[in-house]
Amino acid sequence: MEQLPGGRRPRLVSSLGLGQRSWEVTLDEERGRLAWRDPRPPRRGGENCFVPTSEIIAVEETEVNKKQHNIGKWQKMAKPHAFTVYYVKKARNHRWRCSDVTFWCVDEHLCNQWIQALKELLEMQKSRPKQLLVYINPYGGKRQGKRIYEQKVAPLFSLASISTDVVITEHANHAKDNLFEVNINKYDGVVCVGGDGMFSEVMHGLIGRMQKDSGIDQNNPKAPLVQCNIRIGIIPAGSTDCICYSTIGISDPVTSALHIIVGDCQPLDVSSIHHNNMFLKYSVSLLGYGFYGDILKDSEKKRWMGPMRYDYSGLKTFLSHHYYEGTISFQPAKHTLGSPRDKDSCRTGCYICKKSEQQLAEQHKECGLKHEDEEEWKVIKGKFLAINAVNMSCACPRSPKGLSPAAHLADGSADLILVRKCSRFDFLRYLVRHTNQDDQFNFSFVDVYRVKSFQFTSKLSEDNESNVTDTGKKRFGQFCRDHPACCCNTANSTWNCDGETLDISAIEVRVHCQLMKLFARGIEENCKDEAAYSQSSVEQLL
């Protein structure tokens, strides 16, 4: 063990076998990485590789491959002792894979020293989970949740020595109800295997449990909610996996499992939705009225079609071209540094999220939550094809930039997008821009605001309570269904809340800054093909 000057932590340097050659292997605790280089490279320029210790999954004693053991000098030596290091290998498009490298040497004591040093280093990673509660939705998406977990995720958890309690959900809200009963403090995190709907169920159960234990009334829209310190991990296995895509950059079960194993932590804003002092839902991605609400309502009747139902309902809703009249009132998020129209996307270690959270905390400390009601409210009345509020970009494979490319995960705000009544052609131009690099807000009929709370009231919401209007809705609603191209103003739409319907049109929404945490790190910049198994100069390594 080499001692370094200036009180720096020691590093371990040895000559170990790798393949058929001897490599110089260095464990530098100060820099937090395991590096190995070939001192006699076959080609000019040399080969140098390293992996951050924070991305080492496990270390195990292993046996040398017999083929390698019987070649050359190994044949003349005693049986070597070996250990295998499992680590994260980063591929293109933010995909992670579990890779491994095996080192060996003749000295058993040296081998054990390396194993012990690496395991002690892993024990120092306090953010890593040791016990997880796992909920599996066996019915979501293509009904592959249980198979995905057992074949792709469970072996990785076992390799990383993570204990799990697995619950197979049997009905709607099974996970949510169970979270109110279990001893949640014995777990380091909760994992859901399924789509966005399964995540929403776990999120509601966890947030609800935290508020109940803290004596917070969720029906009070102005109540300061208690932050959830237990992280949620998402193993994508559903029809829609928008949250995974927006928080790690890809919808892939193995990648998500590895983020959980290394103990990543990404805070996340959550919006609470109320109606007349009654709590309705929480939202972390899309809260949409009009176009996206109508798509969801229609698609729910065609679940037998699978994921294709969204395409069918989307086309049908586009052709119907319904608009909705109402009033939007909102409070601008003055504490945030960014703007919905800027080019600063939310990425790993986002500066805007950190500074915005600090400024919001300072405002609450100085003025308190009551001061928020006295702040300026802006009011907009009009006829809208779509009203969308997003806490994240809502990126997905079909829309790589999402509904709001510059939306941030944890800045205490939501981007409120208002699409006014326009022609079908103009609305189509707006939708197409979600799939390319053009500015989707650069239309005269589209307005976008960064807000911390808002309220919406439909012009017909009060009238809809009367029997007269109900009768009229039935008559004219049938006419509109028979003639979808009539471009009519129907009574009310449905809110699409993270893929679940809310039939109440008049709502009050408030954004709670960093209310919960995920096993994620945000989308990384410049994720190259082999970022974890890298080549660099000797100066960078040593």
Side-chain angles (χ1 to χ4, degrees), residues 69 97 317 338 374 403 406 413 506 523 527:
H69 179 224
R97 285 294 175 261
T317 303
E374 302 171 3
L403 294 178
S413 72
I523 298 175
C527 188

Side-chain angles (χ1 to χ4, degrees), residues 135 171-182 201 205 209:
Y135 291 102
H171 53 80
N173 292 322
H174 184 171
K176 177 184 174 182
D177 296 340
N178 185 253
L179 279 166
F180 277 86
E181 301 171 357
V182 299
E201 185 177 326
R209 172 68 182 271

Side-chain angles (χ1 to χ4, degrees), residues 205-239:
L206 193 56
I207 295 178
R209 172 68 182 271
M210 296 300 292
Q211 309 319 308
K212 179 184 176 183
D213 292 349
S214 303
I216 302 295
D217 181 11
Q218 292 185 94
N219 287 319
N220 181 2
K222 296 178 177 60
L225 300 183
V226 176
Q227 187 182 61
C228 299
N229 292 319
I230 298 176
R231 289 166 288 176
I232 298 179
I234 310 171
I235 304 298
S239 300

